[in-house]
Structures are given as structure tokens and as C-alpha cells.
Amino acid sequence: MKCIFDYKLSDLENYFESIGDKKFKARQIFEWIYKKHIYDFYEMTNISKTLAEKLNNEFSTKLLKLRTKQESKLTNKYLFELEDGNLIEAVLMKHDYGNSICVSSQVGCNMGCSFCESGRLKKVRDLTAADMVRQIIMIQEDINERIDSVVVMGIGEPFDNYNNVMDFVRIINSPYGIEIGARHITISTSGLVPMIDKYATEDLQTNLAISLHAPNNELRSRIMKVNKAYPIEELIDAIKRYIDQTNRRVTIEYLLLKDVNDTDKCANELSKLLKGLNVYVNLIPYNETSHIEYKTSPQAQVMKFYDILKKNKINVTIRKRFGDEIDAACGQLRANEVNKL
Ligand code: SAH
Ligand code: SF4
């Protein structure tokens, strides 16, 4: 059965046209589902009973199953079960400027970064657009508040599931849907160069974040396998092309691992690498996990790293440690659950 949450507005319009019905019904369905939170076709009062019956036979409107929820002051972490039993997680971050959700894009990840729980567990499958859309809906239903922004930074490499992720973005961005502004949607990639070029040509004002995590090839290849396929020079060139094409500032994520990539030397090297680029660096304190050896960089070294970048006139911020009090970075909740099985 088809899943209604997989449909972009244009797909649903095509569907109605294909059954000889009016295109505007698609908008009505979108509004019922995404604006009024009604998921039963029979309850949609401007849809005839006959049509409701047809839609009901063709489309599933099932949500996800909530397996676990961990709640703290700043964060809620959700573990969801998909129809096929696979588990994924999503995180709600309660900023003072609004609610932000971090969604997963795959079950597991094949990129195999050495510091990451999601990569430790290989990819089982790509998520469908509906799987991603429903992470948002589930959380929205749970907190009964508006979601202001979305980051695709959960489990998985979004650019290894490009088409579904772009469908997802268009569905949540639709003015008839959840209506999350494109400028409030960010996709994070470990650096798949051809997909960065493709992303640059999309007619969307969404943001790009790059997980860089090291200032040179020797170090980056050691912690991120993907660097062997797309080394730093190629990645930086792709970032330049993206900025030229879109005129948008790119976020550079830099995870600080104690005594690995957090040295003063790395900070200087990173400054040189990024000099003159329209980027800002987000320093991420590492969330330690029980399965992986790396340690969090000490606060004093984080500050030193920050100061060096600042001194070199690189825009830089330090990410608030959101997941800290609970099961930390995305991927860890699922990893714990999968390990128990
Ligand atoms: N695959 C994409 C998006 C998901 S990972 C990517 O790599 O960009 C999202 C971010 O979380 C990445 O920057 C990743 O390096 C970071 N991350 C992974 N494990 C982490 C951990 N234990 N603590 C903090 N951040 C982590
Ligand atoms: Fe995959 Fe991103 Fe984790 Fe690397 S950091 S293994 S790309 S999820």
C-alpha cells in the first residue's frame, strides 16, 4: 500500500488528475493532514464518502510506533519503530528561539566514521520520505507545539539517500503542509562531492552543513573513510562551487576529539584552509559512547581552539551540549537498543 506521507503536493495533484478528479483535492488532503492533524480520510468533511473509501483503500495514513522517549529540560529523544521493525531516532531540541528537530535519514550508515555510533552499525536501508516526515509529525503530536526548524543530522548520510531526502524537504516545506521555512532546514553531509554539486542546483533556499572534522587529508582519512573517495581539496572546491552558485553561507561542523583533532596546530591549519570562504564553523563537543575509544576535548582546549579560529577571523560558535544529560548524540539510543537484542 502507498503511504500518504510519501507524497509531495505535486505528486498528489497528479494522482487526483490521474483518477479524473480535481487537482485542488490534493491541497485539501495536505491541509487536513499537516495543518489540522486529521489522519482519517472519513473525518475529512470536504471529501465525499466515496472518495474517502477509495483513498482509504489505496493510501496508508499510519504513523510510527513510539518505542522509547527520554525527556529532559532541553531535549527529548525519541526511538521510533518502523513498519518493518527497524528502529530510528529523532531528537527535539527546545531552543529559546523555537523547537528544532534532528531527523534520521537512514537505518544505520555506510560511511563508517570511526567516532560515530550510527556508522558502527551498517546501513540496513534508506528511509522513505514518509519515514522522515512522520518523525516530525510524531514529535509535533507529542508536544503539541509548532516545529520551527529541522536538521537532517540524525542516523544516516542524507546524500546517500538523496532523492528521498529532497522529497522529504519539499513535503515539510510546502505552504499547505507543515510549512517549515526552507531557511530553517539544514542538511548535513560527510562530504559526498557529486551530491553537493547536485544540491547546489535545487531551487530551494535550504542550508548545507559539512562534517569536516579535520584540517588535512592524513587526519581526516583516519577518522572518516569518505575522505579517501573525496579528499579535502575536492571537498573545499565543491563548497566553493556551492557558495558561488547559491550565495549561501555553509556551516562547517568540527567535532573535537581529545588529542586527535583538537590541537592548536589543527586550529591553525583549519583557519588557513577556510580563510576567505563564506562559512562558519560549529565546534561540536564529542559525546562519548561506551563502544568507541575517543574522548571529549577538555573545555579549556575547546576554548583555545575557538580563540585561535577567532584570532584568524574565522566565524565560529561552540555547539551547546544538547544531548548530554540523556543518551547523547543521535545514534546512541538506537545503538543501545540494538545491542540489547
Ligand atoms: N551523516 C551526516 C549527518 C549525520 S551525522 C554527517 O556525517 O554529517 C551528524 C553529525 O553528528 C556529524 O557532524 C557527526 O560527525 C556528528 N557526530 C557523530 N557522532 C557524534 C558524537 N558521538 N558526538 C557528537 N557528534 C557526533
Ligand atoms: Fe554516517 Fe554521519 Fe555517522 Fe559518518 S558521522 S558514520 S556519515 S552518520
Side-chain angles (χ1 to χ4, degrees):
M1 204 193 246
K2 296 174 283 199
C3 180
I4 197 74
F5 304 106
D6 254 328
Y7 278 66
K8 293 181 300 219
L9 185 66
S10 56
D11 298 333
L12 208 52
E13 286 174 343
N14 291 340
Y15 166 79
F16 280 109
E17 279 187 326
S18 78
I19 60 166
D21 211 325
K22 295 278 189 301
K23 224 167 99 168
F24 71 81
K25 297 254 165 78
R27 265 190 249 161
Q28 294 179 332
I29 300 280
F30 250 60
E31 285 173 342
W32 279 112
I33 290 179
Y34 296 113
K35 299 259 193 243
K36 298 177 200 154
H37 314 279
I38 297 291
Y39 308 108
D40 180 347
F41 295 116
Y42 292 104
E43 286 180 35
M44 302 178 180
T45 47
N46 53 7
I47 301 289
S48 74
K49 202 133 186 238
T50 338
L51 181 57
E53 197 166 311
K54 183 174 170 55
L55 294 173
N56 202 46
N57 288 331
E58 287 190 38
F59 294 97
S60 158
T61 56
K62 257 174 76 179
L63 297 176
L64 304 176
K65 207 155 130 198
L66 176 63
R67 272 283 288 264
T68 335
K69 175 182 162 189
Q70 293 183 348
E71 192 162 359
S72 66
K73 202 163 139 259
L74 294 177
T75 337
N76 292 357
K77 284 204 86 167
Y78 299 84
L79 187 70
F80 295 121
E81 186 179 322
L82 307 172
E83 279 98 338
D84 59 7
N86 275 307
L87 301 175
I88 49 164
E89 57 186 270
V91 181
L92 167 74
M93 292 161 286
K94 305 163 216 172
H95 299 277
D96 31 13
Y97 54 85
N99 293 315
S100 173
I101 295 183
C102 173
V103 299
S104 293
S105 58
Q106 297 178 314
V107 180
C109 181
N110 276 345
M111 297 299 129
C113 304
S114 63
F115 47 79
C116 177
E117 281 289 347
S118 306
R120 216 170 51 81
L121 306 164
K122 287 267 158 301
K123 177 174 103 176
V124 180
R125 72 165 170 91
D126 287 331
L127 293 189
T128 61
D131 295 331
M132 293 179 259
V133 169
R134 287 179 295 175
Q135 294 172 53
I136 312 270
I137 293 183
M138 291 293 291
I139 296 178
Q140 206 174 31
E141 293 282 321
D142 181 50
I143 61 170
N144 214 357
E145 280 177 34
R146 192 181 151 71
I147 304 304
D148 304 282
S149 60
V150 169
V151 294
V152 188
M153 286 188 191
I155 301 168
E157 167 49 54
F159 281 180
D160 182 39
N161 184 18
Y162 189 86
N163 292 337
N164 291 350
V165 168
M166 293 319 290
D167 281 354
F168 159 68
V169 167
R170 293 199 155 87
I171 293 167
I172 61 169
N173 175 236
S174 167
Y176 301 99
I178 305 174
E179 208 176 353
I180 294 171
R183 288 189 161 78
H184 298 263
I185 300 173
T186 302
I187 301 180
S188 171
T189 178
S190 58
L192 302 183
V193 165
M195 293 299 125
I196 296 172
D197 284 330
K198 190 159 185 206
Y199 187 57
T201 67
E202 299 283 350
D203 57 345
L204 280 165
Q205 301 287 304
T206 47
N207 307 304
L208 175 66
I210 304 280
S211 292
L212 190 64
H213 307 332
N216 61 60
N217 283 320
E218 190 268 315
L219 188 54
R220 192 162 190 268
S221 294
R222 223 166 72 210
I223 59 176
M224 297 179 77
K225 274 195 327 208
V226 63
N227 195 65
K228 291 177 186 151
Y230 304 110
I232 283 193
E233 317 71 73
E234 289 181 28
L235 180 55
I236 295 290
D237 281 348
I239 294 170
K240 283 185 188 153
R241 288 193 296 275
Y242 176 89
I243 294 169
D244 281 349
Q245 172 105 17
T246 63
N247 248 322
R248 303 187 64 73
R249 185 159 81 161
V250 170
T251 304
I252 302 289
E253 294 163 282
Y254 196 101
L255 194 59
L256 288 164
L257 305 165
K258 182 171 187 285
D259 299 331
V260 177
N261 65 355
D262 69 341
T263 59
D264 298 1
K265 186 166 170 280
C266 282
N268 281 307
E269 217 176 327
L270 183 64
S271 307
K272 236 183 244 152
L273 185 69
L274 301 178
K275 187 117 233 134
L277 284 181
N278 184 19
V279 296
Y280 93 89
V281 177
N282 198 202
L283 297 176
I284 313 173
Y286 183 60
N287 278 309
E288 291 176 13
T289 96
S290 47
H291 314 104
I292 302 174
E293 295 284 284
Y294 296 111
K295 293 276 170 257
T296 310
S297 195
Q299 186 63 23
Q301 189 54 34
V302 173
M303 286 319 297
K304 221 166 156 205
F305 202 97
Y306 173 89
D307 288 339
I308 293 174
L309 292 187
K310 270 259 160 225
K311 209 177 67 215
N312 285 306
K313 303 206 161 53
I314 304 289
N315 294 312
V316 56
T317 53
I318 301 174
R319 181 178 300 171
K320 223 157 131 188
R321 300 199 62 166
F322 267 110
D324 235 15
E325 5 34 336
I326 48 175
D327 246 325
C330 229
Q332 292 182 20
L333 201 60
R334 171 170 175 267
N336 286 342
E337 200 72 13
V338 171
N339 284 334
K340 272 193 241 154
L341 300 178

